[in-house]
Amino acid sequence: MQLFRDVMDECGFMDLGYVGLPFTWEKHFADGHSIWEMLDWGLATNEWLMKFIGTRVHHLTSDSSNHYPLWIVPNGLEVVRSTKPFRFEEIWLSNPGCSNVVEAVWPSYGSTDPVIKVMKKTEKCGKELKRWDCDHFGNVRQELAK
């Protein structure tokens, strides 16, 4: 830990603090005792902190790993949101074109990070399904209004 602290000092890193549980790793033993530790930290330089004052690091929970993910929300970073969020429509399953779109998109994105890979595939799938929906089903709300 001292080497870690030395690197933090040398680079000018400061702890961002956290919101949530006070640990990011857990180990449970067969005899009933457990260990909880804070192994993962959100760090930043003073210059970065001045640009994003009020940034929060959230300790999330995970059912699939003994490491808890960090969710860093930089305050002051403008997030562009689509006007209408993607929603999967059940009616699409009645048309074989839906699975064709998904099968065409899914093999893409060869990132080594599996989380990034799934996020990119899902995002691309949503965009392509919206385009396909418009081409094959048109504007359903507009048609119902007529």
Side-chain angles (χ1 to χ4, degrees):
M1 275 308 290
Q2 187 56 49
L3 288 174
F4 177 70
R5 288 185 184 106
D6 292 344
V7 169
M8 282 180 58
D9 288 341
E10 188 174 323
C11 294
F13 289 140
M14 298 184 325
D15 181 12
L16 294 172
Y18 64 90
V19 175
L21 300 172
F23 52 87
T24 62
W25 176 85
E26 64 183 36
K27 173 78 175 175
H28 302 289
F29 296 93
D31 65 3
H33 82 280
S34 299
I35 299 174
W36 290 276
E37 296 287 341
M38 186 163 137
L39 299 180
D40 306 293
W41 299 51
L43 305 173
T45 63
N46 189 50
E47 181 183 354
W48 190 92
L49 280 172
M50 294 309 291
K51 289 181 182 177
F52 303 104
I53 295 171
T55 293
R56 296 281 183 245
V57 177
H58 299 266
H59 291 177
L60 305 180
T61 58
S62 173
D63 293 331
S64 60
S65 174
N66 63 349
H67 278 271
Y68 291 1
L70 301 181
W71 179 35
I72 301 174
V73 182
N75 190 23
L77 184 65
E78 196 172 315
V79 177
V80 179
R81 293 189 182 255
S82 134
T83 55
K84 181 180 172 191
F86 173 75
R87 300 278 192 255
F88 186 86
E89 300 291 340
E90 187 175 355
I91 193 169
W92 295 348
L93 296 174
S94 67
N95 187 308
C98 176
S99 59
N100 293 341
V101 170
V102 174
E103 288 172 8
V105 170
W106 208 251
S108 61
Y109 298 104
S111 171
T112 55
D113 183 343
V115 174
I116 300 281
K117 187 186 291 186
V118 170
M119 286 174 58
K120 292 289 187 186
K121 287 180 179 191
T122 305
E123 182 181 329
K124 178 73 172 169
C125 235
K127 287 179 182 176
E128 293 301 320
L129 283 170
K130 276 184 178 180
R131 184 177 298 127
W132 172 82
D133 176 50
C134 192
D135 292 344
H136 287 81
F137 291 96
N139 189 329
V140 175
R141 285 195 177 137
Q142 194 175 43
E143 291 299 316
L144 288 173
K146 285 181 186 177

